[in-house]
Amino acid sequence: MDLFLQLTLAGLAIGSIYSCVALAVVMIYQATDHFNFAQGEMAMFSTYVAWTLVGLGAPVWLAFLLAVGISFLAGVVIERVIVKPVENAPVLNQIIVFIGLLVIFNAVAGWIWEFTIKPFPSLFPEDLGFKSTLIGPHHLGVIALTLGVLALVFAFFRFTRVGLAMRAAAANPDSARMVGVSVGWMLALGWGLAASIGAVGGILVAPIVYLEPNMMAGVLLYGFAGALLGGVSSPGGAVLGGLVVGVLENWVGQYVPGGSELKLTFALILIVGVLVFKPAGLFGRVVVRRV
Amino acid sequence: MAFLEVRGLEAYYRQTQALFGVDFVLDEGSITAILGANGAGKTTTLRAICRMVRTDGEVVFDGQDLSGLSTERVVGLGIAHVPEGRGTFVRQSVEENLQLGAYTRKNKADIAEDMESVYGYFPRLGERRRQQAGTLSGGEQQMLAIGRALMLRPKLMLLDEPSFGLAPLIVQEIYEIMARIREREGTSMLLVEQNASIALELADHAYLLETGRVVMGGESSLLRDDEDVRRSYLGY
Ligand SMILES: Nc1ncnc2c1ncn2[C@@H]1O[C@H](COP(=O)(O)OP(=O)(O)OP(=O)(O)O)[C@@H](O)[C@H]1O
Ligand SMILES: [Mg+2]
């Protein structure tokens, strides 16, 4: 029973990181109808920025906050400079831009910081003042911090004027423009937010998977699986989907014979399964599009 | 100079030209109708005024040249658009739709006051303020589109076929409310319609649009009595 609880809690912790990535992906998908394949690599890059700041002597929390802020600005700039010019280009061109971003971030990170793996410090102290055999301090901190961040993001969209305008711009850009919303800037803001949320995920996962330019490959795949499972049209669903995938991953690794080698395969099976049997995900709406 | 002056207005969708030099004027506080058949360019005219299509020519509003402005800036000048198809934010609540209408305004107290006044004009929206807007009936969504435009405290409202797809009784109701809005708020309106008879009843002036050109214009009563207009647009 203890093992089961341990697995489940650790799964929730890693799942909440998938949730961050899933939410970032879904936010951009809702506004643009495209998956940002570079979301993971952007998060990886943000994590290196935090690592560099720590190396320069910044306390790890300060490095975290600065990296999240820098990621926001970088997200805005990427949208304005790279994504906006192709927004009316054919779909294939846009996908190639996203994949190009992925490759560039990966290569540049490898060039600056090399491909050797590096340890990354946890944001949370070893000693939380109490001991639990069920969950370690880093995992507990991850759950608390991600849930806090996600709650903030949802409150922002739900209760603020700009959050409402961002939802409106994503759902109905023409009408949004007609009420005076600057749709282009809302998109840029969305990219900034997504980059920040991704950075949170990257910095939290780095102490677990170690820092290296390919560290987000698996996380992004699980994040996609979570987003699809929850429904790409539903941010809340994506977050839940991420948590479910994290827990399932741990269960499969432990209880399915040979499961620990099959974890990534499991994510792929989940993605294909959802696409085939429930394309809208568990919480999404089926969108009928005129072609 | 008139409140809204449109001179030599041309509009293009990519290579296709949709307006070929449209001229008309609108006086402050008046309601002007633009009538025309399907594809005449009515919607395009409204979209050209708020810079949502590529245009050429001159649009002067309240002494200000609108060419070169973004749509957001045009809205900021007090031009509200009730678009073709109503443009409802379907997943947002009625209240959020109205809040979006006031997006360019800052004063929260004024906005709250205007929201109540919209619910005053359209009690049915008030009863459904928390309801998802996509679940409203067609007539209610049309009311919501007008309410959303009112939330700007507009100086000029652009209305694109507010009667479209609605039962005669609802059309009557909506037009009565538009008349009341003009009376109370003094809002100028540029009204696009295929339903010529009801538009001519409300409007002071009207213009006839055919394939992107104004072919006739004048006081509503003049058009109402015109033999050709009667045969082509009023059907008697
Ligand atoms: N998005 C578009 N792309 C290309 N051509 C367009 C587009 N929208 C309108 N047009 C063309 O511009 C012309 C004018 O269209 P517009 O929508 O302004 O007509 P309308 O008078 O509003 O018609 P309706 O009464 O049917 O709404 C038409 O010939 C139409 O085919
Ligand atoms: Mg039209």
Side-chain angles (χ1 to χ4, degrees):
Chain A
M1 193 58 200
D2 264 12
L3 177 63
F4 177 77
L5 280 179
Q6 281 166 359
L7 284 171
T8 308
L9 286 172
L12 281 177
I14 194 89
S16 64
I17 293 171
Y18 301 157
S19 297
C20 288
V21 175
L23 180 63
V25 165
V26 162
M27 274 175 56
I28 292 186
Y29 180 80
Q30 289 211 308
T32 63
D33 276 354
H34 293 298
F35 287 116
N36 177 12
F37 296 109
Q39 199 75 59
E41 304 309 280
M42 286 166 62
M44 172 273 294
F45 212 89
S46 306
T47 311
Y48 270 108
V49 169
W51 182 82
T52 305
L53 291 169
V54 170
L56 292 173
V60 64
W61 273 95
L62 180 65
F64 166 74
L65 293 175
L66 282 175
V68 169
I70 292 168
S71 304
F72 179 84
L73 295 179
V76 171
V77 170
I78 288 172
E79 199 283 334
R80 290 281 95 176
V81 176
I82 298 172
V83 180
K84 183 176 184 289
V86 295
E87 71 184 347
N88 294 319
V91 175
L92 200 57
N93 298 26
Q94 303 199 25
I95 291 175
I96 287 169
V97 167
F98 287 132
I99 292 176
L101 268 177
L102 182 159
V103 173
I104 289 168
F105 272 116
N106 191 282
V108 171
W111 178 60
I112 300 179
W113 292 291
E114 301 174 352
F115 284 89
T116 51
I117 62 170
K118 299 176 167 65
F120 191 93
S122 171
L123 289 171
F124 311 103
E126 284 293 330
D127 182 12
L128 289 172
F130 65 94
K131 278 239 176 311
S132 166
T133 55
L134 293 178
I135 185 167
H138 181 71
H139 282 79
L140 191 62
V142 166
I143 294 178
L145 184 61
T146 46
L147 292 188
V149 167
L150 295 175
L152 266 180
V153 171
F154 276 87
F156 166 75
F157 279 110
R158 182 75 186 73
F159 297 115
T160 69
R161 170 175 167 272
V162 175
L164 176 60
M166 285 175 72
R167 281 187 284 148
N172 196 338
D174 262 10
S175 287
R177 218 164 263 133
M178 286 179 197
V179 296
V181 173
S182 172
V183 173
W185 277 107
M186 294 300 132
L187 263 180
L189 219 56
W191 270 78
L193 257 181
S196 290
I197 298 168
V200 171
I203 291 170
L204 290 177
V205 85
I208 302 172
V209 301
Y210 294 106
L211 181 58
E212 51 120 353
N214 296 316
M215 73 168 195
M216 292 302 284
V219 178
L220 183 68
L221 194 63
Y222 286 117
F224 269 130
L228 285 167
L229 181 67
V232 286
S233 60
S234 158
V239 167
L240 273 177
L243 291 173
V244 169
V245 168
V247 172
L248 281 180
E249 178 201 0
N250 268 4
W251 288 351
V252 167
Q254 182 66 31
Y255 297 118
V256 176
S260 54
E261 270 90 61
L262 293 176
K263 278 175 159 189
L264 271 183
T265 320
F266 157 72
L268 285 170
I269 291 173
L270 195 62
I271 289 177
V272 173
V274 171
L275 287 178
V276 171
F277 294 109
K278 198 139 183 13
L282 297 179
F283 305 96
R285 296 160 304 133
V286 181
V287 180
V288 182
R289 229 188 290 274
R290 286 193 306 171
V291 286
Chain B
M1 182 175 265
F3 195 49
L4 177 74
E5 220 171 303
V6 173
R7 256 177 276 132
L9 186 63
E10 298 175 7
Y12 302 84
Y13 294 102
R14 292 180 192 276
Q15 307 311 326
T16 334
Q17 189 165 0
L19 299 182
F20 301 84
V22 169
D23 303 274
F24 65 89
V25 296
L26 180 151
D27 294 323
E28 186 157 16
S30 78
I31 298 183
T32 297
I34 296 182
L35 310 175
N38 288 118
K42 305 183 295 297
T43 297
T44 306
T45 304
L46 298 190
R47 293 173 74 89
I49 290 171
C50 59
R51 315 325 281 188
M52 296 190 76
V53 287
R54 192 158 66 82
T55 60
D56 211 343
E58 214 177 356
V59 180
V60 182
F61 170 66
D62 207 4
Q64 180 159 5
D65 187 358
L66 300 189
S67 52
L69 295 190
S70 65
T71 302
E72 301 96 81
R73 292 282 308 281
V74 172
V75 173
L77 293 176
I79 300 184
H81 200 150
V82 180
E84 185 172 61
R86 298 156 197 152
T88 313
F89 297 101
V90 292
R91 293 191 72 192
Q92 274 66 50
S93 68
V94 167
E95 191 138 316
E96 284 176 326
N97 269 267
L98 294 179
Q99 273 162 2
L100 280 164
Y103 178 74
T104 55
R105 296 172 53 196
K106 293 282 153 355
N107 189 323
K108 287 217 166 93
D110 282 357
I111 293 173
E113 189 182 305
D114 287 358
M115 186 138 0
E116 287 314 312
S117 113
V118 167
Y119 292 146
Y121 284 119
F122 303 106
R124 278 204 258 173
L125 295 182
E127 292 157 21
R128 292 165 175 73
R129 57 180 83 188
R130 309 241 174 277
Q131 196 172 317
Q132 216 181 51
T135 63
L136 296 179
S137 76
E140 288 159 357
Q141 288 195 35
Q142 190 62 60
M143 296 175 186
L144 182 59
I146 296 173
R148 193 178 66 211
L150 282 176
M151 291 301 293
L152 184 68
R153 280 203 188 173
K155 296 182 188 151
L156 172 65
M157 274 171 93
L158 311 177
L159 296 125
D160 199 337
E161 302 205 45
S163 73
F164 187 80
L166 302 180
L169 231 72
I170 301 283
V171 173
Q172 202 63 46
E173 188 182 337
I174 285 176
Y175 267 79
E176 272 163 23
I177 293 167
M178 282 161 57
R180 193 133 42 88
I181 290 168
R182 189 258 292 262
E183 203 171 289
R184 284 217 210 135
E185 328 278 343
T187 314
S188 316
M189 299 185 192
L190 182 60
L191 169 66
V192 152
E193 267 293 1
Q194 276 193 63
N195 186 337
S197 56
I198 189 145
L200 287 175
E201 232 172 84
L202 178 68
D204 312 300
H205 298 269
Y207 294 86
L208 219 56
L209 205 59
E210 262 172 34
T211 52
R213 291 179 185 83
V214 171
V215 293
M216 185 177 184
E219 289 191 12
S220 298
S221 51
L222 230 88
L223 266 80
R224 221 170 9 225
D225 297 336
D226 185 90
E227 195 66 30
D228 287 342
V229 174
R230 255 197 3 219
R231 221 175 303 116
S232 322
Y233 293 95
L234 297 172
Y236 56 84

